[in-house]
């Protein structure tokens, strides 16, 4: 958080020791009531619990599940024959006596078109391809929702940590301002120091508005992902997740080829296009239609009852240009699917590399803050505090040192959150947990350091 101001002179010296110690301890939930009172109404969720709830209740996932169920139901009828046809025909009815059916010839018949078993099996196979594509689409959506939930949870955890630091700073600054005002009345503190403390408190309140906006936006997004009302209370507990090592780019790419559902869906689409191409070519084989019926002859005929048998066959060879064109279209569709697979694979590899860079950079920043910048900022703050207590330092230097220390702490939380969010993006890019690449995950405690 930028432009955090320091303490008023007298209270500052007394508060520094407890302030540093409080930042070095494990974080606890904020005690303030600035907009967080509604969070206590909801049971805290871990990140994994939030992911599980989203996978069960997300509205987009539910719609995808129904689409998959529909595709599965279609496989049962894909290889069925067409409905049989019933025909009733009236012949030779006299125009002068249209009601005299005894002079008419009546025929009742049933006909059925028989498609070869090879064609029907191929229809069933295409329907099965559609099921596999729908299943891959569902898995794609599940992974997208899971990654979004993890990123949003990382934002909420960082927001809670920043608010905790904000609460600590506000408490000390209010005490410092009161003491500065008291000292100002006796002439021991210049007016400029009082004005600086007042402005610091105002800027702190301004930053609180930004923190609340970020928290409320993330909460609404998380609720939406979990299929809940956006205004519901939500609280995330636990620590930041950080993989100890990031796999090599070759290992990540191999995992993506195997597990990334979009690539799986495109491979299934290629198989579907191949099956459809075969189906188009099988259309050159004629289908047979068989009909059988009963005929009632007019009165006076030698035989009043007769039967009818009929066999018809379509002739696709006489319409070859159409079927050849459809075959070319099917082949072109297969080529398009292959090109889309190549394009999507290239895009996925780019996503993997970008996510890998993000995670590695965030890990380096977090390590730099933890091992170097935080100890340096605390040491500088202690030194300037000691100098100020012994009347050898300027109040402005004390403010700047405190600003730097708080900025480093905030940036450390941002780095931890970036590691967590980047890990979620990397897992989304490869379509599998990083543990599948022999990467162990550890939990970073949410401390002030």
């Amino acid at each position: 958080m930028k432009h955090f101001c320091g303490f008023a002179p007298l209270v500052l010296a007394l508060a520094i020791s407890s302030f540093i110690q409080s930042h070095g301890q494990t974080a606890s939930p904020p005690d303030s009531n600035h907009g967080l009172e509604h969070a206590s109404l909801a049971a805290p969720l871990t990140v994994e619990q939030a992911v599980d709830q989203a996978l069960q209740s997300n509205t987009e996932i539910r719609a995808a599940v129904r689409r998959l169920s529909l595709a599965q139901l279609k496989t049962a009828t894909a290889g069925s024959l067409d409905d049989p046809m019933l025909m009733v025909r009236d012949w030779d009815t006299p125009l002068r006596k249209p009601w005299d059916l005894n002079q008419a010839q009546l025929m009742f018949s049933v006909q059925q078109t028989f498609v070869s078993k090879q064609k029907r099996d191929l229809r069933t196979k295409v329907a099965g391809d559609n099921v596999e594509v729908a299943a891959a689409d569902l898995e794609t959506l599940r992974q997208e929702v899971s990654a979004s939930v993890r990123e949003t949870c990382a934002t909420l955890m960082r927001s809670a940590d920043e608010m905790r630091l904000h609460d600590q700073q506000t408490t000390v600054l209010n005490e410092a301002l009161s003491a500065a005002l008291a000292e100002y009345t006796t002439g021991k503190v210049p007016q400029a120091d009082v004005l600086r403390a007042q402005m610091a408190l105002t800027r702190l309140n301004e930053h609180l508005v930004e923190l609340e906006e970020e928290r409320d936006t993330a909460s609404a997004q998380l609720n939406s992902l979990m299929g809940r009302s956006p205004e519901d209370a939500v609280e995330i507990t636990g620590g930041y997740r950080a993989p100890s090592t990031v796999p090599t780019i070759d290992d990540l790419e191999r995992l993506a080829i195997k597990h990334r559902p979009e690539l799986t869906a495109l491979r299934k689409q290629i198989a579907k296009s191949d099956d459809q191409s075969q189906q188009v070519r099988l259309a050159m084989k004629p289908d047979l239609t068989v009909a059988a019926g009963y005929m009632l002859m007019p009165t006076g005929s030698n035989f009043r009852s007769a039967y009818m048998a009929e066999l018809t066959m379509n002739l696709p060879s006489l319409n070859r240009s159409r079927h050849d064109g459809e075959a070319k279209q099917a082949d072109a569709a297969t080529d398009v699917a292959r090109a889309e697979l190549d394009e999507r694979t290239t895009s996925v590899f780019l996503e993997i590399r970008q996510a890998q860079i993000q995670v590695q950079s965030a890990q380096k920043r977090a390590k730099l803050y933890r091992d170097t910048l935080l100890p340096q900022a605390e040491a500088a703050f202690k030194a300037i505090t000691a100098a100020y207590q012994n009347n050898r330092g300027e109040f402005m230097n004390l403010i700047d040192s405190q600003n730097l220390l708080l900025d480093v702490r905030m940036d450390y939380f941002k780095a931890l959150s970036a590691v967590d969010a980047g890990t979620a993006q990397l897992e989304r890019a490869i379509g599998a947990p990083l543990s599948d690449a022999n990467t162990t995950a550890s939990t970073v405690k949410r401390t002030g350091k």
Side-chain angles (χ1 to χ4, degrees):
M1 180 175 66
K2 305 300 182 183
H3 305 299
F4 269 99
C5 292
F7 301 90
L10 297 179
V11 175
L12 177 62
L14 299 176
I16 286 173
S17 176
S18 61
F19 182 79
I20 293 178
Q21 291 177 358
S22 67
H23 279 70
Q25 296 173 348
T26 302
S28 59
D31 295 328
S32 69
N33 295 320
H34 49 63
L36 286 177
E37 63 275 1
H38 71 285
S40 61
L41 301 178
L45 296 173
T46 65
V47 176
E48 296 303 325
Q49 288 173 337
V51 171
D52 291 341
Q53 184 168 340
L55 294 180
Q56 294 176 4
S57 304
N58 183 268
T59 53
E60 292 185 68
I61 291 179
R62 287 186 172 184
V65 169
R66 289 182 173 87
R67 288 194 293 270
L68 175 59
S69 298
L70 175 61
Q72 291 171 335
L73 291 173
K74 288 182 178 180
T75 59
T77 58
S80 303
L81 294 173
D82 294 337
D83 295 338
M85 301 291 292
L86 172 65
M87 182 185 69
V88 179
R89 182 174 295 173
D90 177 15
W91 288 348
D92 295 337
T93 303
L95 289 177
R96 292 181 180 181
K97 295 182 179 181
W99 60 86
D100 190 358
L101 297 181
N102 287 327
Q103 301 299 319
Q105 179 179 340
L106 301 176
M107 183 177 69
F108 306 88
S109 69
V110 176
Q111 67 178 26
Q112 174 70 59
T113 299
F114 292 95
V115 181
S116 68
K117 185 176 184 302
Q118 188 179 10
K119 287 184 178 180
R120 290 187 284 115
D121 289 344
L122 199 54
R123 289 178 186 175
T124 303
K125 188 176 181 182
V126 171
D129 294 336
N130 288 330
V131 171
E132 293 180 344
V133 171
D137 291 340
L138 173 60
E139 182 60 25
T140 296
L141 184 57
R142 289 170 61 88
Q143 290 188 6
E144 289 176 351
V145 169
S146 177
S148 297
V149 168
R150 292 185 185 279
E151 291 182 51
T152 307
C153 287
T155 300
L156 284 173
M157 288 189 293
R158 175 175 58 81
S159 178
D161 288 330
E162 290 182 347
M163 281 190 166
R164 177 177 56 79
L165 292 181
H166 176 279
D167 294 338
Q168 294 173 345
Q169 174 71 353
T170 300
T171 300
V172 176
L173 188 57
N174 278 321
E175 295 175 355
L177 179 59
S178 299
L181 288 172
E183 292 296 319
Y184 171 70
T185 58
T186 62
K188 297 180 180 180
V189 173
Q191 185 181 18
D193 288 352
V194 176
L195 293 176
R196 288 191 186 100
Q198 290 175 335
M199 187 169 61
L201 187 59
T202 302
R203 294 301 299 271
L204 203 60
N205 292 331
E206 176 192 14
H207 187 256
L208 175 61
V209 176
E210 298 175 359
L211 290 178
E212 290 177 341
E213 178 185 5
E214 184 179 31
R215 179 204 63 199
D216 293 342
T217 300
S219 297
Q221 181 180 0
L222 182 58
N223 280 322
S224 179
L225 290 169
M226 293 191 299
R228 308 196 306 185
S229 178
E231 66 272 12
D232 286 351
V234 60
E235 180 183 356
I236 300 299
T237 62
Y240 301 103
R241 186 182 55 147
S244 57
T245 58
V246 178
T248 65
I249 192 67
D250 291 338
D251 291 337
L252 293 173
E253 289 177 353
R254 281 193 292 269
L255 281 173
I257 292 174
K258 181 179 180 181
H259 295 289
R260 184 71 182 252
E262 292 97 321
L263 301 183
T264 301
L266 286 171
R267 288 193 291 269
K268 297 300 183 182
Q269 186 64 43
I270 292 174
K272 175 185 173 182
S273 297
D274 287 336
D275 292 337
Q276 288 175 330
S277 179
Q278 296 180 32
Q279 189 175 11
V280 168
R281 286 172 168 79
L282 281 177
M284 289 298 296
K285 294 184 177 181
D287 298 326
L288 298 177
T289 300
V290 178
Y294 168 74
M295 299 178 64
L296 181 63
M297 307 304 289
T299 302
S301 300
N302 292 331
F303 301 98
R304 298 244 18 218
S305 298
Y307 75 90
M308 184 274 298
E310 184 178 277
L311 177 66
T312 59
M313 178 177 66
N314 65 328
L315 300 174
S317 59
L318 298 181
N319 195 16
R320 180 174 294 276
S321 60
R322 172 193 170 185
H323 294 288
D324 288 344
E326 291 177 344
K328 291 179 180 179
Q329 293 174 20
D331 293 339
T334 302
D335 292 339
V336 169
R338 295 183 189 279
E340 288 178 348
L341 176 60
D342 292 339
E343 183 276 332
R344 189 57 182 145
T345 300
T346 301
S347 178
V348 166
F349 287 173
L350 176 59
E351 291 178 26
I352 292 173
R353 181 55 180 157
Q354 290 175 334
Q356 184 192 44
I357 292 173
Q358 179 181 347
V359 172
Q360 290 175 336
S361 298
Q363 285 180 318
K364 291 177 182 178
R365 291 198 305 273
K367 185 175 186 301
L368 181 64
Y369 285 124
R370 182 187 66 245
D371 298 340
T372 305
L373 288 178
L374 272 175
Q376 290 176 347
E378 289 183 351
F381 182 59
K382 290 178 181 179
I384 294 176
T385 299
Y388 182 80
Q389 288 176 319
N390 292 285
N391 297 321
R392 293 197 304 270
E394 296 292 334
F395 183 62
M396 198 62 196
N397 293 335
L398 192 61
I399 291 179
D400 292 340
S401 177
Q402 174 62 13
N403 287 344
L404 178 62
L405 178 59
L406 291 175
D407 286 344
V408 169
R409 294 190 184 280
M410 291 293 184
D411 289 339
Y412 177 55
F413 287 136
K414 287 182 173 65
L416 291 177
S417 178
V419 172
D420 215 4
T423 301
Q425 293 175 2
L426 185 56
E427 290 181 337
R428 170 69 188 99
I430 64 176
L434 287 180
S435 57
D436 289 359
N438 298 323
T439 301
T440 58
S442 60
T443 298
V444 179
K445 293 184 178 180
R446 291 167 60 193
T447 64
K449 181 175 178 179

